[in-house]
Amino acid sequence: MKRIGVTGHRSIPREAHAHVLAGLQAALYGFEDSLEALSSLAVGADQLFADLALARGADLTVVIPSGDYESCFADAAELARYRALKDRAVREVRLDYPHSTDEAYYAAGAYIADHCDRLLAVWDGRPARGFGGTGDIVTYARSLGRPVTVIWREGVERT
């Protein structure tokens, strides 16, 4: 079984969305074997990836950074989407952090990088805005020698 992980921005600009969607689909459909998808199900890239992976028939593994992770979703709709995807997961990994901190987010991203065969990064190529952001996880995965596929529309700036 191939294991594909994701890291990415929570906010994907409208002008990059179609490109990101196509890039994720191409990456997921490039495998003949069965597939395990690893995601923390954050809003944005993580949830988009999980949706596409499930549609492709992948087994979803959810990596939950902290005990209070659900409190980080901005509204009821975001939380409902998270819970709906989590309910479809075949496996749930809960990290031991009681609170959603930058360290917890980094640990979740590192767990995904440690346990995947390839990391998909919905990433604008810029440094992380806070410890544990996409840029940090890409750097970590590359330090492991993990293949990283960056998906982003050139020329689009993240706000």
Side-chain angles (χ1 to χ4, degrees), residues 21-56:
L21 182 67
L24 288 171
Q25 286 174 324
L28 286 167
Y29 285 88
F31 293 94
E32 298 293 323
D33 301 336
S34 57
L35 187 65
E36 178 184 0
L38 294 93
S39 173
S40 290
L41 299 181
V43 170
D46 287 14
Q47 289 186 3
L48 182 59
F49 167 79
D51 268 336
L52 294 171
L54 288 165
R56 188 241 184 244

Side-chain angles (χ1 to χ4, degrees), residues 21 23 40 58 85-86 88 93 95 99 114 129 131 143 156:
L21 182 67
S40 290
L85 287 167
K86 186 172 74 104
R88 296 178 64 196
V93 176
L95 301 185
H99 302 293
D114 287 340
R129 291 182 176 167
F131 181 66
S143 77
V156 175

Side-chain angles (χ1 to χ4, degrees), residues 9-151:
H9 301 312
R10 291 178 187 223
S11 174
I12 302 170
R14 188 182 79 255
E15 57 272 19
H17 194 270
H19 181 84
V20 167
L21 182 67
L24 288 171
Q25 286 174 324
L28 286 167
Y29 285 88
F31 293 94
E32 298 293 323
D33 301 336
S34 57
L35 187 65
E36 178 184 0
L38 294 93
S39 173
S40 290
L41 299 181
V43 170
D46 287 14
Q47 289 186 3
L48 182 59
F49 167 79
D51 268 336
L52 294 171
L54 288 165
R56 188 241 184 244
D59 290 342
L60 178 62
T61 295
V62 178
V63 181
I64 301 173
S66 63
D68 68 351
Y69 190 50
E70 288 193 0
S71 69
C72 296
F73 291 88
D75 58 43
E78 285 185 2
L79 181 57
R81 182 166 161 75
Y82 162 78
R83 287 178 175 166
L85 287 167
K86 186 172 74 104
D87 287 347
R88 296 178 64 196
V90 298
R91 186 166 158 238
E92 187 175 302
V93 176
R94 288 189 168 270
L95 301 185
D96 290 333
Y97 292 85
H99 302 293
S100 292
T101 61
D102 288 349
E103 290 76 17
Y105 294 144
Y106 184 88
Y111 181 95
I112 289 170
D114 287 340
H115 292 88
C116 70
D117 300 312
R118 173 172 298 280
L119 184 69
L120 304 181
V122 178
W123 181 45
D124 62 3
R126 299 178 66 103
R129 291 182 176 167
F131 181 66
T134 304
D136 291 339
I137 302 308
V138 168
T139 298
Y140 176 74
R142 286 177 172 163
S143 77
L144 299 174
R146 191 78 63 234
V148 176
T149 301
V150 175
I151 301 168

